[in-house]
Amino acid sequence: MTNLVTGNKPQGLDNFGGRLRFEINPASNVKIDLIGELLRDNGRSFQGQSVGSTTNRGGILLGAGSRIGRQTFSDDPYKQFYDFDPVFDRNIESVVGKVEVDLGGASLVSVTSYRHMTYSDQRDFDNTDLDVLKQISAERSKQWSQEVRLVSDPGGSLSFGGALDWILGVYYYNDKSFHSDRFDYGVDSAFGNTADDVTYGDYSTKSLAFFGQAAVHLTNQLTVTLGARYTEDRKQADLGGITGDTRPLVPANFLVRNPQVKFTSFDPKVVVSFQPNSDLNLYASWSRGFKSGGYQYTPLNAPQAGSVFNPEKLESFEAGVKSIMLDGALRVNASAFHYKYKDLQVSTVVDLGGGNTPSLIANAASSTIKGGELEVIMRPDSRLNIGVSYAYTDARYDTFFGSAGANFSGTRLVRAPEHSVNANFDYTLPLGGRNDVVFSANYSLLSDFFHEPGEARTIYGTTVPLTREDGYGLLNARVQFNFGDSYAAVWGKNITDKVYRRSVLALPGQVINIFGEPSMYGVTIGHRF
């Protein structure tokens, strides 16, 4: 991005990372992996282009009425006017220890991981050159997890001569984090330059799960897979707010010490696979899934701080076929699916009046997603691969009542295009010895979709039509020269320079467009050790 006020270029990528791995073999049947990673990420804040409603281009949430319309506009999505440069900084360190012990007939695997993360994000909330509202976010978190699993060895004594493949395990996860948001009102806000509003929260998550799966080979052609997972999540949050006045966003000081809530789920899975020969596989599956509930992330008052959203539950059906034809020169895969959601979690901005517009997670009562996919992969010779895939998706809210009595029942889900197509190819040109050149390209096409519920209908609000995303296609290409263990590649992303939005922030009277990357070109150089 270019900030046309300061002339600087925020929103770029400036990342540094590294990984160090040690493999230790203290005994013939023991393998230990120790992995350390770090990441320094100075990149994208949630900054974009501000647009108003369909009747008022200059809408600004909490902006002074006398100031609205005085901001400077830019139609270039990558050159905008901000009253200051956004800043984003994230640091991540992680350590993973993996131990594998061959017990004879089965392997015992232990994976221990620790992750520490801090980030700060300063952004122009109104996304204009007016001094309306600045948001400064900060977070720190510590996570560690422990997984232990026992896995049968294929063909080993505990697989009963190859008739059974199985896995049993337990998983524990612990996360403690602190998040804060400070909102600074500017001289162009509806309230003038007033005291800051602050929200903060201490969050704790503990999760314990037991899982197992067994693939029973009834015959050489027929396999039945049975699996299940039991999950128990415990979450707790102390959420508060500090203000110096009674104005939005935080109208009064509050501190809510929420009790610990517990969510449990038992999720089974059944898969039947029939393979009459090595070139054909027919399968069908049924499973249930679970996404935990919890407390809100940035509450602005005590009732929101005590609000709990429920778990999201999924029942999934899928059937398909995978086939190989013409001695491997042609592969055709097809599938059909039906997903039934209960209490689908939806993040939405709620207008509570008086400038209070928190982003809350709500539960849509039920939703259904159904459709099918077709994939064709052609390999006319050993140098050339061509692939084409198509997917049709019908995704709708069965029952969903939003804020202010809005009824989204029967409308399409957000970010769910009905049609999607993907085409790719790669061609390898030998240069002799271990040297070659690989030419590759990929094109992905999406039909129109919606960033917010309501299918862009004005009955749900004057800014809702601005949340419709027209269909678009993205073209990427790459040429890679391989010289033994070294390589150099020239690549291009979004070569046609298609302008599209990766997300939006829909506020009352104002929409912030967050655009995807423009046309980008680069060079990658590497060596394999």
Side-chain angles (χ1 to χ4, degrees), residues 502-525:
R502 58 183 175 89
S503 62
V504 306
L505 176 60
L507 304 169
Q510 183 184 15
V511 170
I512 310 300
N513 295 325
I514 311 300
F515 292 94
E517 294 177 341
S519 180
M520 297 176 62
Y521 299 91
V523 176
T524 300
I525 299 174

Side-chain angles (χ1 to χ4, degrees), residues 20 105 112 120 132 154 215 235 242 304 323 334 369 373 397 449 509 514:
L20 183 63
T112 306
S120 61
V132 176
K235 297 188 176 183
I242 302 173
Q304 296 165 21
S323 63
I369 302 175
E373 299 178 354
Y397 299 110
F449 59 91
I514 311 300

Side-chain angles (χ1 to χ4, degrees), residues 2-252:
T2 298
N3 186 346
L4 295 175
V5 174
T6 65
N8 296 326
K9 294 182 179 294
Q11 295 288 88
L13 289 178
D14 185 7
N15 296 349
F16 172 82
R19 177 185 298 114
L20 183 63
R21 173 181 173 181
F22 293 94
E23 181 179 315
I24 306 170
N25 300 101
S28 59
N29 66 329
V30 179
K31 177 183 175 182
I32 301 175
D33 279 326
L34 300 177
I35 303 170
E37 295 182 338
L38 64 85
L39 172 67
R40 300 293 182 261
D41 180 8
N42 299 304
R44 296 178 180 83
S45 176
F46 205 71
Q47 210 72 58
Q49 176 194 52
S50 173
V51 293
S53 67
T54 54
T55 58
N56 179 13
R57 180 180 179 181
I60 300 179
L61 176 68
L62 298 179
S66 60
R67 303 290 204 279
I68 294 177
R70 297 184 181 181
Q71 66 267 35
T72 310
F73 296 100
S74 171
D75 291 325
D76 188 328
Y78 308 109
K79 295 181 180 180
Q80 294 294 309
F81 294 90
Y82 308 127
D83 61 296
F84 71 95
D85 292 322
V87 177
F88 180 87
D89 182 68
R90 179 173 58 182
N91 300 321
I92 300 176
E93 300 90 29
S94 66
V95 179
V96 179
K98 181 179 179 181
V99 180
E100 299 181 58
V101 182
D102 187 352
L103 303 176
S107 296
L108 181 65
V109 182
S110 171
V111 182
T112 306
S113 66
Y114 172 81
R115 182 178 185 267
H116 176 258
M117 186 272 292
T118 60
Y119 87 79
S120 61
D121 181 6
Q122 302 180 33
R123 62 188 179 99
D124 184 356
F125 189 87
D126 54 281
N127 286 260
T128 71
D129 57 346
L130 298 183
D131 184 11
V132 176
L133 190 64
K134 176 190 295 186
Q135 181 177 2
I136 302 174
S137 302
E139 184 171 319
R140 63 178 184 270
S141 67
K142 296 180 179 180
Q143 305 171 359
W144 78 270
S145 65
Q146 176 64 56
E147 180 176 340
V148 179
R149 57 182 184 264
L150 189 64
V151 187
S152 65
D153 292 337
S157 59
L158 297 180
S159 69
F160 303 96
L164 180 68
D165 296 316
W166 53 268
I167 179 173
L168 293 172
V170 59
Y171 176 80
Y172 177 76
Y173 172 83
N174 188 311
D175 176 273
K176 293 185 180 299
S177 62
F178 176 84
H179 179 88
S180 66
D181 288 285
R182 192 178 88 216
F183 299 93
D184 293 346
Y185 299 110
V187 295
D188 297 314
S189 75
F191 316 112
N193 194 359
T194 63
D196 303 334
D197 282 340
V198 178
T199 67
Y200 61 91
D202 266 308
Y203 298 86
S204 173
T205 299
K206 297 179 181 179
S207 180
L208 179 65
F210 301 90
F211 59 91
Q213 182 168 295
V216 185
H217 307 292
L218 299 177
T219 69
N220 291 334
Q221 292 80 33
L222 182 62
T223 298
V224 176
T225 301
L226 304 174
R229 178 186 180 99
Y230 172 80
T231 306
E232 181 178 290
D233 289 347
R234 296 177 183 268
K235 297 188 176 183
Q236 192 273 332
D238 294 336
L239 307 177
I242 302 173
T243 185
D245 51 48
T246 60
R247 296 167 175 169
L249 296 164
V250 179

